[in-house]
Amino acid sequence: MSGIKIFVSHRIDINSELVDNPLYVPVRCGAVFDSQNPMGIPGEDTGDNISDRRMSFCEFTVQYWAWKNVQAEYYGLCHYRRYLSFAPKRFKIDEAGMIYVPVMTEGSKRKYGLLNARAMEQEIRDYDILVSEYAPVKNIPTPRGKQETVRAMWEAHEGVFFDDKAIELLFRLIDESAPEYSASAREYFAGGLHRGYNCYILKRDLFFRLCEFQFPIMFEVERRLDTTGYTQTMRRTPAFLGEMLYGIFIYHITTREQWRVKQLQLVYFRDTGRLKNSGDLFKRVVWAWIDLMLRAIIDPIMPKGSRQREFLKKIYYRVTPAKQRGVANIEL
């Protein structure tokens, strides 16, 4: 098959559906902590790797592993529940700018163009950059309501996703180690269009530039921040800042350089657990819509990542059997 490799970051605690398409390379994120490998897919714990940083770097451990260990013409990244849509038509999106799909099935994979490797390859090779569409910030809910700029949107998560020193530290590190991106960083953060979620396909040179921009800064953030007293979510500060760096990088290369760029819709599969039968599918669809309604009530009161939410998670995981959590595929 071609030199196109789209790495799919899979959680080690969820037995997720895989996409039967040779362009996708499923990889376990945090594989160093997973000795059993029930999904039977490769991990990012071989060669030059940062697999043990899974709790702070999230899917970036997969990106780093691909950068250091795999040869390709095009490198892509997506998540076990977020994929770029290669369907020829457009679909309705939610406030975050994504297509919401309750459960991943063979039918939904086909609907969003994920199974047709030949058509995907033809489209990918027409471009240098394939990324998810921008999401208007004014539509995106935050713990402090809807905002107008990318910076205000991220600052609304201070004390929830990361502490109030993180964004200023990010800008200082860009100025120190990658000043060629400083103007783009400030322009992007002052604008009203958010590019997030780290889902993309880039030609090799651009992918290497992205990694050379992100990882030195993320490692330095990790070195400088005192994480004493951080919640589990706040320990992911390097990953959140990495997502910001991704948005800055894509803004920079698409506004200041000449590349062939394709924007695609982003699909969010709420439940990607492997299905057993039609009855299992029905239960999962019901759970997905219940979850959606509960979040509409809980999120404004206890934002994801808040200390109250972290406390609720601890209680939930303590009283709910792992098997039952798997059926519902619930993530608080």
Side-chain angles (χ1 to χ4, degrees):
M1 190 37 96
S2 72
I4 300 169
K5 295 185 183 296
I6 305 170
F7 299 90
V8 186
S9 176
H10 282 269
R11 284 177 51 156
I12 59 176
D13 60 337
I14 295 178
N15 190 15
S16 295
E17 281 279 331
L18 304 178
V19 177
D20 185 14
N21 178 334
L23 300 185
Y24 290 108
V25 182
V27 182
R28 288 173 296 138
C29 177
V32 71
F33 303 111
D34 177 29
S35 59
Q36 296 183 337
N37 187 13
M39 285 190 289
I41 60 176
E44 30 65 296
D45 57 339
T46 60
D48 186 350
N49 72 86
I50 55 171
S51 182
D52 61 350
R53 285 179 163 96
R54 178 254 183 271
M55 296 305 292
S56 56
F57 276 59
C58 302
E59 70 274 4
F60 287 102
T61 66
V62 174
Q63 178 180 317
Y64 182 93
W65 177 80
W67 174 36
K68 293 296 185 179
N69 298 285
V70 182
Q71 295 295 318
E73 297 174 62
Y74 285 84
Y75 292 78
L77 182 68
C78 59
H79 315 166
Y80 70 103
R81 67 194 331 177
R82 290 187 180 93
Y83 289 79
L84 295 171
S85 171
F86 283 87
K89 61 176 289 188
R90 292 187 60 81
F91 300 91
K92 180 182 177 181
I93 57 176
D94 62 15
E95 291 178 306
M98 294 182 286
I99 304 166
Y100 178 84
V101 181
V103 181
M104 176 183 275
T105 64
E106 288 303 306
S108 61
K109 295 174 196 175
R110 190 173 299 105
K111 178 177 180 178
Y112 298 106
L114 306 184
L115 300 179
N116 191 335
R118 186 177 300 277
M120 282 178 60
E121 179 171 0
Q122 289 175 347
E123 184 166 6
I124 290 167
R125 289 193 176 279
D126 284 338
Y127 299 95
D128 306 304
I129 302 165
L130 297 95
V131 288
S132 60
E133 296 176 340
Y134 278 117
V137 170
K138 64 182 181 180
N139 296 337
I140 302 174
T142 80
R144 300 177 193 167
K146 295 181 180 179
Q147 306 294 323
E148 294 295 324
T149 67
V150 172
R151 178 160 193 152
M153 182 203 72
W154 280 116
E155 287 178 340
H157 292 87
E158 288 178 339
V160 179
F161 286 0
F162 42 79
D163 67 34
D164 57 8
K165 301 185 292 293
I167 291 178
E168 281 305 317
L169 175 58
L170 177 70
F171 278 96
R172 286 202 305 274
L173 291 175
I174 292 172
D175 292 342
E176 291 171 11
S177 64
E180 65 272 26
Y181 294 98
S182 292
S184 292
R186 287 166 173 80
E187 287 175 18
Y188 170 67
F189 263 59
L193 297 174
H194 174 239
R195 181 98 70 184
Y197 305 112
N198 309 313
C199 294
Y200 58 80
I201 302 168
L202 301 172
K203 291 197 80 169
R204 175 186 173 86
D205 289 348
L206 289 170
F207 174 72
F208 273 57
R209 281 178 57 189
L210 171 64
C211 294
E212 289 160 359
F213 173 50
Q214 287 174 309
F215 285 108
I217 293 175
M218 292 169 70
F219 289 140
E220 187 61 19
V221 165
E222 182 183 54
R223 190 185 72 81
R224 292 195 191 188
L225 284 181
D226 178 6
T227 60
T228 303
Y230 276 19
T231 64
Q232 182 178 326
T233 298
M234 289 179 70
R235 289 194 177 94
R236 293 161 57 192
T237 293
F240 289 121
L241 298 191
E243 184 176 352
M244 297 178 205
L245 290 166
Y246 163 72
I248 291 166
F249 180 80
I250 298 299
Y251 177 85
H252 179 87
I253 63 175
T254 56
T255 61
R256 284 173 162 75
E257 301 176 10
Q258 298 297 314
W259 299 101
R260 299 171 300 167
V261 182
K262 175 72 171 182
Q263 295 192 88
L264 299 169
Q265 288 191 289
L266 188 61
V267 188
Y268 173 76
F269 295 98
R270 184 263 171 202
D271 185 336
T272 62
R274 292 190 181 182
L275 295 166
K276 299 173 184 176
N277 49 50
S278 57
D280 186 32
L281 173 60
F282 176 77
K283 284 192 295 186
R284 289 176 184 272
V285 170
V286 171
W287 266 112
W289 289 111
I290 290 173
D291 177 67
L292 192 64
M293 290 185 289
L294 287 175
R295 286 180 184 276
I297 298 169
I298 294 172
D299 286 355
I301 305 169
M302 289 186 287
K304 191 173 183 179
S306 65
R307 293 185 183 276
Q308 302 97 314
R309 185 73 157 255
E310 296 287 333
F311 180 71
L312 182 63
K313 276 172 66 173
K314 286 182 181 178
I315 295 175
Y316 173 74
Y317 283 110
R318 193 172 295 159
V319 303
T320 308
K323 186 176 181 181
Q324 185 175 336
R325 295 200 305 267
V327 170
N329 200 13
I330 287 178
E331 286 184 50
L332 294 177

